[in-house]
Amino acid sequence: QVQVLESGGGLVQAGGSLRLSCAASGSIFSINAMGWYRQVPGNQRELVAAISSVGSTNYADSVKGRFTISGDIAKNTVYLQMANLKPEDTGVYYCKLAVNGLPSTYDYWGRGTRVTVSS
């Protein structure tokens, strides 16, 4: 019943910018956090940035100073503003919704949006 949908990916040159958007819908009652993860074929999915329901943010060291996560958790939306993109940023970006539950949170994932940064 819960759907997570990403958008905003595309092809950009190194040094360019993109803004990713994520919207969650369905039977959502209490969100713990929302975040962005990146995956390259053959590699594990890794955290890029996350934001909690109280506004706390967390970034991967590789994107600090270049990426900014923002959003309105109450509206089930989150954004990732990516600046000064590098070829290493290429990958499929997934939005994750962490819903409060017992005994722990439950995660919902989007299908991903592709970001390709050319050198």
Side-chain angles (χ1 to χ4, degrees), residues 27-41:
S27 184
I28 304 170
F29 296 97
S30 181
I31 297 175
N32 180 265
M34 297 183 71
W36 291 95
Y37 290 71
R38 179 171 63 204
Q39 187 169 28
V40 178

Side-chain angles (χ1 to χ4, degrees), residues 4-71:
V4 181
L5 181 63
E6 308 97 333
S7 63
L11 173 64
V12 297
Q13 294 183 342
S17 300
L18 281 175
R19 188 187 190 222
L20 306 184
S21 300
C22 175
S25 61
S27 184
I28 304 170
F29 296 97
S30 181
I31 297 175
N32 180 265
M34 297 183 71
W36 291 95
Y37 290 71
R38 179 171 63 204
Q39 187 169 28
V40 178
N43 290 24
Q44 293 185 328
R45 193 172 300 182
E46 62 181 2
L47 172 70
V48 176
I51 184 168
S52 74
S53 61
V54 296
S56 300
T57 58
N58 181 226
Y59 295 92
D61 289 341
S62 62
V63 307
K64 288 181 178 178
R66 299 188 297 120
F67 291 9
T68 302
I69 188 169
S70 63

Side-chain angles (χ1 to χ4, degrees), residues 37-41 45 90-94 111-115:
Y37 290 71
R38 179 171 63 204
Q39 187 169 28
V40 178
R45 193 172 300 182
T90 293
V92 178
Y93 285 70
Y94 296 89
R111 297 186 67 179
T113 184
R114 295 180 183 273
V115 172

Side-chain angles (χ1 to χ4, degrees), residues 45-119:
R45 193 172 300 182
E46 62 181 2
L47 172 70
V48 176
I51 184 168
S52 74
S53 61
V54 296
S56 300
T57 58
N58 181 226
Y59 295 92
D61 289 341
S62 62
V63 307
K64 288 181 178 178
R66 299 188 297 120
F67 291 9
T68 302
I69 188 169
S70 63
D72 188 341
I73 298 299
K75 295 183 178 180
N76 306 329
T77 58
V78 66
Y79 306 94
L80 185 67
Q81 180 65 52
M82 304 184 293
N84 191 25
L85 283 161
K86 303 176 180 180
E88 306 94 273
D89 296 319
T90 293
V92 178
Y93 285 70
Y94 296 89
C95 180
K96 186 182 80 173
L97 172 70
V99 179
N100 288 317
L102 295 173
S104 62
T105 57
Y106 188 88
D107 296 339
Y108 294 91
W109 293 89
R111 297 186 67 179
T113 184
R114 295 180 183 273
V115 172
T116 303
V117 184
S118 61
S119 61

